[in-house]
């Protein structure tokens, strides 16, 4: 019964409606949008070009590239709309102080979970983040290494790359959080601009594949990809 008020508070805060009287609404909205884009990219990596590394080695069913596109779209929806919204709702419903008067980041989430689920909440969040961090390091290291080998298959370069990864992991664990996030925002922004350029270049082929998938689906067929059609 509290959720409607929670989502109203999120909406009003995001668009500066609660601060309109004090002025500066345009700045507040721009900051909310910018922060939303930065944390959204950090959360789901949509448009960054990292996900295709994973989807490229998957075995799709139905056997058509559009299948992996649909899976990728759903993963972004589930991550951002379901998981992140649920986390925000837990924090706001818990009543723990946040922002200028309280904790932020993962500590805020731990406090909210502890307030709603008991002391079990803090170690639970710590464990899930340990697993998330470990799998993220493994996956992204694989993405980079496979791309490096594709461009220049050199064991010396791969060893150098792995050493750089270990150095970044060590620095990320002990470095200042604002600096770490700022560097992540910059590198993800560069990746996104490059990826969006590639998406625009390949858009004609993507729409042709989508039309082929939809035509087969409407005919009641199990969509399959045939290179001869392209």
């Amino acid at each position: 019964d509290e959720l409607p008020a929670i989502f109203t508070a999120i909406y009003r805060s995001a668009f500066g409606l609660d601060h309109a009287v004090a002025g500066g609404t345009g700045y507040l909205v721009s900051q909310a949008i910018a922060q939303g884009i930065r944390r959204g990219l950090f959360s789901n990596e949509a448009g960054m070009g990292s996900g295709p590394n994973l989807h490229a080695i998957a075995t799709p069913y139905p056997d058509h590239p559009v299948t992996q596109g649909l899976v990728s779209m759903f993963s972004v929806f589930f991550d951002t709309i379901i998981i992140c919204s649920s986390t925000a709702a837990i924090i706001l419903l818990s009543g723990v102080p946040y922002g200028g008067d309280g904790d932020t980041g993962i500590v805020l989430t731990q406090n909210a979970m502890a307030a709603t689920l008991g002391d079990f909440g803090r170690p639970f969040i710590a464990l899930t983040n340990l697993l998330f961090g470990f799998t993220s390091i493994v996956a992204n290291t694989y993405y980079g290494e496979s791309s490096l080998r594709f461009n220049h298959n050199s064991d010396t370069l791969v060893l150098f790359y792995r050493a750089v990864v270990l150095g970044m992991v060590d620095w990320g664990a002990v470095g200042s959080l604002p600096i770490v996030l700022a560097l992540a925002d910059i590198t993800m922004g560069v990746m996104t601009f490059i990826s969006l350029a590639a998406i625009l270049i390949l858009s004609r082929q993507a729409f042709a594949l989508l039309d082929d998938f939809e035509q087969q689906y409407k005919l009641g067929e199990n969509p399959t990809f045939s290179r001869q059609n392209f």
Side-chain angles (χ1 to χ4, degrees), residues 3-148:
L3 283 177
I6 290 295
F7 287 116
T8 299
I10 293 174
Y11 178 83
R12 293 181 65 88
S13 298
F15 291 98
L17 299 178
D18 288 336
H19 313 283
V21 177
T25 304
Y27 173 77
L28 291 170
V29 172
S30 67
Q31 288 300 299
I33 292 174
Q35 181 72 357
I37 292 173
R38 288 195 293 265
R39 297 285 69 81
L41 276 176
F42 193 82
S43 166
N44 57 48
E45 301 184 0
M48 284 175 50
S50 55
N53 290 276
L54 179 64
H55 294 290
I57 62 172
T59 302
Y61 182 83
D63 189 11
H64 198 287
V66 171
T67 304
Q68 284 303 305
L70 295 173
V71 171
S72 179
M73 291 168 60
F74 176 75
S75 67
V76 172
F77 168 82
F78 187 82
D79 175 90
T80 305
I81 304 301
I82 305 299
I83 296 179
C84 290
S85 296
S86 298
T87 305
I90 290 171
I91 291 171
L92 295 174
L93 285 168
S94 68
V96 297
Y98 58 90
D101 299 326
D103 292 307
T104 59
I106 192 64
V107 176
L108 173 61
T109 309
Q110 286 182 299
N111 290 341
M113 292 290 284
T116 52
L117 296 179
D119 291 336
F120 162 76
R122 288 192 178 92
F124 171 76
I125 293 296
L127 176 61
T128 55
N129 273 272
L130 171 66
L131 297 175
F132 170 74
F134 177 73
T135 54
S136 296
I137 292 168
V138 171
N140 284 284
T141 302
Y142 163 75
Y143 295 161
E145 185 172 320
S146 61
S147 299
L148 181 61

Side-chain angles (χ1 to χ4, degrees), residues 203-221:
S203 59
R204 184 173 63 85
Q205 291 89 335
F207 282 115
L209 287 167
L210 180 60
D211 289 339
D212 178 64
F213 182 92
E214 290 182 336
Q215 288 174 8
Q216 294 185 59
Y217 183 79
K218 289 176 181 177
L219 292 173
E221 301 174 357

